Amino acid sequence: MEKQEVIISDSIGKSVGDAVGAVEHDRLFVLTDETTLRLCWPLVKDVPCMAQASVICIPPTDENKSLASLTHVWTELQRGGATRHSLMVNLGGGMVTDLGGFAASTFKRGISYVNVPTTLLSMVDASVGGKTGINFGGLKNEIGVFNCARSVILDAVFLRTSDMPGILSGYAEMLKHGLISNVENWAELLNFDFQKIDYRHLTQMVGKSVAIKERIVDEDPLEHGIRKALNLGHTAGHALESLALAEERTVLHGYAVAWGLVCELYLSAKRLNFPKDKLHQTLRFVKEHYGTFAIDCKEYDRLYDYMTHDKKNTAGRINFTLLADIGDIRINQAAGKEEIMDMLDFFRES
Ligand code: GLY
């Protein structure tokens, strides 16, 4: 898989112009969603290269990361005369960059695409590393391919359009990157002041966070091994997210990841002696910023069942990514039902 160029931008117009100009193309398409069209498209629409662009718009939010939206994008590409030499710019959050990346990767067996993530979550995770896809059959990211964007533009200008829950949702993935890297990064993340956001500092931290992800993806682009480190917090997190969805208690992905990190650090402490003080410091941070998610013992079997659907599982075992310490990653940690129930007890009680 060819690697994307990551551009840390402080001038979005110039960065978009340069990134589009760097890829030879006959026609240019911009994919976005209705919310991003209103909030973020005005920040790039006057860039000269955009004058000839055809804009394709899909409805926002994850339930529209669907075959129906994908069909709409393919149809609009076809109607707009896209060829194998056309270029697509995905402007939006993870839903747009995932679906747009998949649409581009499959249209005429693949056209080039550039990601312009507009949420913190898509900046630090979805837009980088080549995972593309859609939800299908009730399961998230069930259909997709690995294929990197030509470039990814990270610009904090978009974060000013984001609300605090949106920032915190992305920040949970940054916390994950801190935990799998080193104590300095983790401590810097725990000390960030959300009362008075310093966007310059946040941009630097985003750059660091993406570099951690890139290093891991470079080593294992197709997730046969160490890339599973990026799933820390996600086995439990996805189960909590699925439960929330089923019970119509809407939670943002990053909140579920933050709670999942607490669960999996507890499991790490039990199995691998992850330091208890670091578990409790992380727990305090998560409680302060993400609150708690109430679960009942009656829901444990359901949560366990959701975990059995995790893509990392092998031969019927639920595999976690755990830590023996910050930066000391252990992948493929199969846990039994009793340990998982104990983990859920800890989460419920904390
Ligand atoms: N979101 C995890 C990964 O890209 O591998």
Side-chain angles (χ1 to χ4, degrees), residues 113-184:
Y113 71 98
V114 167
N115 279 341
V116 186
T118 57
T119 64
L120 186 56
L121 187 63
S122 57
M123 285 182 195
V124 295
D125 192 23
S127 67
V128 177
K131 280 190 180 174
T132 72
I134 57 164
N135 303 331
F136 187 73
L139 296 174
K140 283 169 72 82
N141 303 321
E142 183 74 344
I143 311 288
V145 295
F146 285 100
N147 181 36
C148 277
R150 291 292 288 268
S151 54
V152 180
I153 301 170
L154 306 177
D155 196 313
V157 70
F158 296 117
L159 297 182
R160 292 173 192 274
T161 65
S162 203
D163 57 14
M164 189 51 89
I167 298 272
L168 282 167
S169 186
Y171 202 83
E173 297 286 356
M174 293 172 67
L175 183 59
K176 174 195 79 182
H177 291 157
L179 284 162
I180 61 174
S181 60
N182 59 51
V183 174
E184 290 70 34

Side-chain angles (χ1 to χ4, degrees), residues 125-126 128-129 131 146 173 176 213 217 223 227 230-231 234:
D125 192 23
V128 177
K131 280 190 180 174
F146 285 100
E173 297 286 356
K176 174 195 79 182
K213 174 162 183 175
V217 173
E223 200 170 296
R227 185 164 181 170
L230 297 172
N231 289 311
H234 283 65

Side-chain angles (χ1 to χ4, degrees), residues 201-232:
H201 185 199
L202 185 58
T203 308
Q204 283 165 3
M205 287 163 72
V206 166
K208 252 191 240 179
S209 201
V210 169
I212 293 163
K213 174 162 183 175
E214 278 193 285
R215 268 201 302 279
I216 289 177
V217 173
D218 283 354
E219 210 179 306
D220 175 26
L222 303 182
E223 200 170 296
H224 296 307
I226 194 63
R227 185 164 181 170
K228 292 179 192 167
L230 297 172
N231 289 311
L232 180 71

Side-chain angles (χ1 to χ4, degrees), residues 4-39:
Q4 72 281 302
E5 185 192 3
V6 174
I7 300 160
I8 311 285
S9 160
D10 59 7
S11 168
I12 189 62
K14 181 175 182 320
S15 302
V16 168
D18 290 351
V20 168
V23 186
E24 225 179 279
H25 59 275
D26 53 5
R27 286 188 170 78
L28 180 64
F29 294 82
V30 175
L31 176 69
T32 192
D33 65 68
E34 287 152 9
T35 311
T36 314
L37 185 73
R38 191 163 42 81
L39 295 176

